[in-house]
């Protein structure tokens, strides 16, 4: 299970629900995983009216199946829906469908260390009509896929390329939503960084190209002179649930966490004068990803001696400990499915 490729093998079932103007959301059902039949004129194929979410189900040591803050994903999905003119999904039906699907396919939740069942809810616009407006019909689906450890060789620092050409999102756009178009726009820079041996892109804001926004599909945090700094949620940054959880944990440990605009110039200065102690990304897939090097305009800057920082490691251990049910969840973040 450790070396299964991410998102290529799917469990036996999927959850589906349809929307139309007359009936609203209706016909919620769990069916065998299989192909969808859609008209080539379906609006999703042309104008990308689509949103998604990503979360995981974890198997604890005594065999329980746990979800991590699923109500946050449901709320964010509806916030994405609002921006993309997709009708709101009833939260209770979403959560119930999610729980029933995971329970039915619980044998697909792997048990090896650091493995999980990745859960991908999504909504697509299904009107067969080429006009540019909101579709009148939609399909909501949840599919799941077992995933191996994100760090099969253990937690390791990554190299990051600061991208000053392409931008991922702008204020007023869709950067705060999980909509497919954002990711389509991000692929080119990611590919270029990879070709040069970097695992992720560090995104700057689309207007000044100075403010740091995110790293790949993760939020980013820095420890500078003992304080934690993370870009504020200005509209072009995705409000990550791992980010939110990390901030709550850091504050509970007594750290000062500052959410503000943070420029690449400040980052480079802090890297070079030694006050930048740690840097890491946060997201559901990697949980916490230590950053050991940043490259800006061809110049490399090492962070923390390319070692995993103390706070980075503590956050990783605590978050993964809660997720897999190994550490007491004093925040009430986990939901037991079965
Ligand atoms: C999903 C995502 C994140 C992380 O969100 P989590 O809720 O922590 O998984 C951060 N940035 C982008 C662009 C994302 O798509």
């Amino acid at each position: 299970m450790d070396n299964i490729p991410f998102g290529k093998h799917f469990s036996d079932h999927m959850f589906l629900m349809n929307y139309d103007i007359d009936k609203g959301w209706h016909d919620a059902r769990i069916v065998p995983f299989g192909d969808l039949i859609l008209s080539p004129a379906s609006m999703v194929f042309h104008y990308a009216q689509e949103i998604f979410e990503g979360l995981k189900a974890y198997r604890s040591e005594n065999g329980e199946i746990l979800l991590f803050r699923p109500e946050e994903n449901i709320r964010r999905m509806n916030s994405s829906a609002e921006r993309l003119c997709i009708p709101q999904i009833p939260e209770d039906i979403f959560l119930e469908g999610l729980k029933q699907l995971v329970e039915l396919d619980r044998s697909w939740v792997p048990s090896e260390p650091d493995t999980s069942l990745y859960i991908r809810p999504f909504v697509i616009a299904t009107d067969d009509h080429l006009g540019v407006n909101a579709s009148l019909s939609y399909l909501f689906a949840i599919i799941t896929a077992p995933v191996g450890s994100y760090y099969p060789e253990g937690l390791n620092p990554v190299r990051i390329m600061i991208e000053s050409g392409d931008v991922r999102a702008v204020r007023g756009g869709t950067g705060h939503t999980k909509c497919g178009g954002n990711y389509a726009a991000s692929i080119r820079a990611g590919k270029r960084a990879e070709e040069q041996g970097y695992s992720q892109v560090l995104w700057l804001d689309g207007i000044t190209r100075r403010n740091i926004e995110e790293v790949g599909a993760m939020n980013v945090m820095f420890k500078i002179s003992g304080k934690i700094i993370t870009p504020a949620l200005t509209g072009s940054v995705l409000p990550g649930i791992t980010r939110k959880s990390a901030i709550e944990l850091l504050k509970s440990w007594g750290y000062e966490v500052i959410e503000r605009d943070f420029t690449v110039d400040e980052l480079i200065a802090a890297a070079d004068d030694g006050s930048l102690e740690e840097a890491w990304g946060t997201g559901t897939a990697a949980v916490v990803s230590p950053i050991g090097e940043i490259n800006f305009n061809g110049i490399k800057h090492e962070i923390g001696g390319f070692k995993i920082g103390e706070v980075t490691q503590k956050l990783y251990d605590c978050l993964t400990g809660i997720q897999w049910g190994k550490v007491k969840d004093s925040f009430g973040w986990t939901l037991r499915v079965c």
Side-chain angles (χ1 to χ4, degrees):
M1 193 62 85
D2 260 6
N3 41 23
I4 52 165
F6 173 79
K8 282 203 115 174
H9 302 284
F10 299 94
S11 64
D12 290 334
H13 295 90
M14 61 183 177
F15 176 87
L16 298 177
M17 178 162 69
N18 297 87
Y19 178 92
D20 66 36
I21 286 290
D22 296 332
K23 291 192 245 168
W25 287 109
H26 65 278
D27 209 7
R29 59 208 184 270
I30 291 176
V31 297
F33 181 91
D35 294 346
L36 303 172
I37 295 173
L38 293 166
S39 162
S42 294
M43 289 175 84
V44 64
F45 295 139
H46 306 278
Y47 311 119
Q49 201 190 1
E50 186 268 358
I51 54 172
F52 66 92
E53 268 303 324
L55 68 161
K56 287 171 169 178
Y58 309 85
R59 186 183 291 278
S60 76
E61 263 157 25
N62 47 21
E64 296 168 342
I65 308 297
L66 307 171
L67 298 174
F68 184 74
R69 310 189 82 173
E71 67 289 346
E72 293 284 342
N73 294 92
I74 292 172
R75 215 172 294 145
R76 188 171 63 192
M77 181 90 145
N78 273 334
S79 148
S80 298
E82 196 281 326
R83 179 64 182 82
L84 276 283
C85 286
I86 291 171
Q88 295 287 297
I89 300 158
E91 293 189 1
D92 52 341
I93 301 179
F94 191 156
L95 184 60
E96 196 51 37
L98 185 62
K99 281 162 61 180
Q100 286 192 18
L101 179 67
V102 171
E103 183 164 5
L104 181 66
D105 280 346
R106 62 186 173 274
S107 63
W108 285 85
V109 186
S111 53
E112 290 82 353
D114 302 328
T115 62
S116 57
L117 185 72
Y118 186 78
I119 304 168
R120 169 54 56 84
F122 63 99
V123 179
I124 56 172
T126 51
D127 276 11
D128 47 353
H129 168 52
L130 298 182
V132 182
N133 47 38
S135 179
L136 301 175
S137 65
Y138 297 88
L139 177 71
F140 171 56
I142 309 176
I143 57 174
T144 70
V147 289
S149 172
Y150 194 88
Y151 297 104
E153 283 115 47
L155 192 62
N156 270 314
V158 295
R159 297 188 159 83
I160 300 294
M161 177 69 85
I162 300 180
E163 172 65 38
S164 30
D166 289 0
V167 296
R168 193 192 79 91
V170 287
R171 291 176 196 188
T174 54
H176 61 296
T177 73
K178 273 182 134 55
C179 72
N182 290 347
Y183 303 83
S186 77
I187 289 170
R188 185 172 72 173
K191 196 162 160 268
R192 282 196 301 235
E194 217 166 276
E195 281 161 6
Q196 294 176 69
Y198 288 81
S199 60
Q200 302 280 355
V201 163
L202 192 138
W203 298 105
L204 301 178
D205 79 280
I207 297 164
T208 68
R209 309 279 176 99
R210 297 324 286 180
N211 292 319
I212 290 167
E213 301 223 305
E214 303 200 49
V215 46
M218 288 185 285
N219 296 109
V220 66
M221 298 185 177
F222 305 97
K223 180 163 170 271
I224 299 177
S225 305
K227 292 175 185 167
I228 316 296
I229 297 177
T230 189
L233 300 178
T234 51
S236 45
V237 172
L238 197 287
I241 296 159
T242 321
R243 173 189 185 277
K244 181 177 181 172
S245 308
I247 291 173
E248 289 172 50
L249 276 176
L250 288 162
K251 286 185 174 168
S252 79
W253 296 335
Y255 284 101
E256 187 178 341
V257 182
I258 305 158
E259 298 176 62
R260 65 162 170 95
D261 285 351
F262 181 63
T263 66
V264 66
D265 312 278
E266 287 179 89
L267 176 66
I268 300 300
D272 292 348
D273 71 16
S275 58
L276 175 60
E277 294 151 352
E278 301 183 35
W280 64 87
T282 65
T284 297
V287 191
V288 171
S289 186
I291 300 171
E293 180 194 310
I294 45 174
N295 183 319
F296 186 47
N297 294 334
I299 300 168
K300 297 173 180 177
H301 307 263
E302 201 180 63
I303 301 173
F306 208 82
K307 292 197 187 74
I308 304 167
E310 194 187 321
V311 175
T312 310
Q313 183 74 52
K314 192 173 168 189
L315 265 181
Y316 179 81
D317 292 342
C318 187
L319 282 168
T320 56
I322 292 173
Q323 286 165 341
W324 272 276
K326 289 181 280 194
V327 166
K328 189 176 170 297
D329 171 21
S330 48
F331 294 87
W333 285 339
T334 48
L335 176 72
R336 194 185 145 177
V337 173
C338 56

